[in-house]
Amino acid sequence: MAQLKKSQTREKDPLTGRVLQWEGVVLSQLVDSALEKLPLESRAQVDLVILKGDDGDQAIIPRSFINKYPFLLAYRW
């Protein structure tokens, strides 16, 4: 598996006004890295990405949406 590029973003907290810096990886890079060993035909068939939380909650996101808008999976702020 390829090393994922770390990304950072800053945004202002609307409640406190403080500027927070988030660090993580872009979700589209993670998905592409997970699918890189599959044949091209199989990669093309993946249309949805399912994210699961520790408490069992799920988010189903179209892969085209993930590729269009950069989601940051933050691991530190």
Side-chain angles (χ1 to χ4, degrees):
M1 187 181 246
Q3 183 74 349
L4 298 175
K5 180 181 172 187
K6 295 178 185 176
S7 298
Q8 295 180 3
T9 187
R10 291 182 183 167
E11 52 183 66
K12 188 175 181 179
D13 185 350
L15 298 176
T16 64
R18 290 182 15 200
V19 176
L20 302 174
Q21 181 172 331
W22 300 88
E23 189 173 316
V25 296
V26 179
L27 181 58
S28 61
Q29 288 180 347
L30 181 66
V31 170
D32 290 342
S33 175
L35 297 176
E36 71 184 3
K37 291 188 178 182
L38 292 176
L40 187 59
E41 302 84 32
S42 297
R43 274 188 257 168
Q45 293 178 356
V46 177
D47 292 332
L48 296 173
V49 175
I50 301 173
L51 304 176
K52 292 184 179 182
D54 290 339
D55 57 356
D57 290 339
Q58 292 184 357
I60 300 173
I61 306 170
R63 186 170 168 209
S64 60
F65 190 80
I66 289 172
N67 288 331
K68 186 173 182 178
Y69 300 103
F71 285 87
L72 182 70
L73 293 177
Y75 53 81
R76 182 169 59 172
W77 63 278

